[in-house]
Amino acid sequence: MSEPSQSAATPPAVRDADADRRFRESARRHGWDPDDPWVGGYAALEWRRSRHAYDDLFTSVRGKKVLEFGCHFGGTSVVLATLGAEVTALDVDPMYVELAQLNAERHGLSDRIRVHHVPDTTAMPFGDREFELVSCNSVLEYVPPERLPAVQREIDRVLAPWGFIVILGTSNRLWPVECHSRRILMNYVPRLLRPLFPGRSIYSVFPWELRRGFGDYVDISQQDRGRLIVDLKAKMGLSGPRLMAFSAANRLLGPLGMHVGFVSPTITMVLQKRGEGGAGDG
């Protein structure tokens, strides 16, 4: 495996004009605007935000085998590869697989990113303990609730002992406004009644479903009473009164055994799998 073509200090840039043309054509063919910051600019957006969760905040991803679970347009995969990770990305939708592959190519990172179409994420085509880190960025809320436990067990299967699961941007069912659709009170609608409401299937999850559902894991973002999460939000651009309120809420939650990543509109937590002998090793 070659060294990353871009240093960790350099944001990912479009380097292949032909791949960029094909990415833009594919995006338009599927009804997307390639100039939308959430489409063609998604890697740059994730560089400014989510990269701080992987860039030496708790561990370095350089040289590690990383799974991006639910790659969408591949923005997070591009960020992880730019930081030096060997990335395997997957999605259940072949459209996103196509666009994520082209996104890797246009950024000159196709040698560090493998993209797979995996229709059934309860049976992923990877070996036991194959990865050292799994990134779940704004994806677990799209998993149907009845399938989520099986998906979590499968993620646990492919993660090595002492490996990390990084959960970001996951819509929190505790909040009255669903963060992706901005629909008020949708999180409080019983899940059995969701089919009665039009729109994309966003289920939202409770934080304890994620904290306990993978098996025997340590919440390292709780070990330091949530300072890791507060520092992450500061690096992602939260500042001023909002950061002060975020930090104050974190201090209040500490004695209750929680941190602010549990109760923010999007769930944020970093889980570490226990080593040999732990219940999560199976």
Side-chain angles (χ1 to χ4, degrees):
M1 181 64 65
S2 61
E3 285 299 307
S5 58
Q6 304 164 37
S7 74
T10 304
V14 173
R15 297 177 179 272
D16 186 324
D18 181 64
D20 182 53
R21 175 186 57 77
R22 288 184 283 119
F23 174 87
R24 298 174 70 84
E25 289 175 352
S26 178
R28 292 192 187 97
R29 185 170 67 252
H30 291 297
W32 298 96
D33 177 4
D35 294 315
D36 189 312
W38 292 97
V39 182
Y42 195 38
L45 187 149
E46 290 299 317
W47 179 263
R48 294 192 299 272
R49 300 179 54 165
S50 71
R51 103 166 183 271
H52 301 290
Y54 314 108
D55 190 14
D56 294 321
L57 186 66
F58 61 96
T59 185
S60 172
V61 297
R62 181 168 296 278
K64 288 184 168 58
K65 296 183 69 174
V66 176
L67 174 67
E68 186 188 3
F69 183 86
C71 61
H72 199 236
F73 294 118
T76 303
S77 289
V78 168
V79 168
L80 288 162
T82 301
L83 293 172
E86 179 184 341
V87 182
T88 298
L90 68 84
D91 207 283
V92 299
D93 190 328
M95 175 192 67
Y96 289 129
V97 171
E98 175 187 339
L99 287 164
Q101 183 62 58
L102 288 170
N103 210 6
E105 292 176 15
R106 72 199 279 257
H107 285 93
L109 292 165
S110 57
D111 62 331
R112 301 193 68 84
I113 301 173
R114 298 178 299 150
V115 188
H116 297 265
H117 176 220
V118 180
D120 181 5
T121 52
T122 66
M124 295 188 284
F126 311 122
D128 294 352
R129 309 178 178 192
E130 185 168 335
F131 301 100
E132 297 166 87
L133 185 145
V134 179
S135 169
C136 298
N137 191 350
S138 300
V139 62
L140 296 174
E141 62 269 47
Y142 294 100
V143 178
E146 68 275 9
R147 291 175 61 85
L148 183 60
V151 167
Q152 290 176 287
R153 289 193 296 271
E154 183 68 353
I155 289 173
D156 172 66
R157 180 186 69 80
V158 303
L159 183 65
W162 304 115
F164 295 94
I165 300 174
V166 178
I167 299 169
L168 301 171
T170 299
S171 181
N172 193 338
R173 195 161 167 76
L174 295 176
W175 276 73
V177 179
E178 198 288 309
C179 67
H180 297 306
S181 66
R182 311 306 301 172
R183 298 175 75 175
I184 299 174
L185 302 181
M186 182 54 65
N187 282 338
Y188 299 159
V189 174
R191 284 167 171 166
L192 289 176
L193 299 181
R194 284 295 181 91
L196 300 177
F197 294 83
R200 192 175 181 186
S201 297
I202 305 172
Y203 301 98
S204 300
V205 293
F206 289 115
W208 49 84
E209 293 179 278
L210 302 183
R211 173 63 187 88
R212 300 297 178 188
F214 293 99
D216 188 16
Y217 282 69
V218 176
D219 183 357
I220 69 166
S221 40
Q222 187 174 343
Q223 287 183 323
D224 66 351
R225 292 183 175 269
R227 277 307 314 172
L228 182 146
I229 301 299
V230 174
D231 291 345
L232 172 60
K233 291 295 184 180
K235 289 184 177 183
M236 291 171 70
L238 194 66
S239 61
R242 292 182 64 197
L243 181 61
M244 292 176 62
F246 198 84
S247 182
N250 187 66
R251 288 193 296 271
L252 291 173
L253 290 166
L256 302 177
M258 295 188 292
H259 54 75
V260 72
F262 275 74
V263 299
S264 54
T266 58
I267 299 167
T268 303
M269 62 179 69
V270 180
L271 306 176
Q272 186 174 31
K273 186 175 183 175
R274 296 185 189 273
E276 298 291 344
D281 293 341

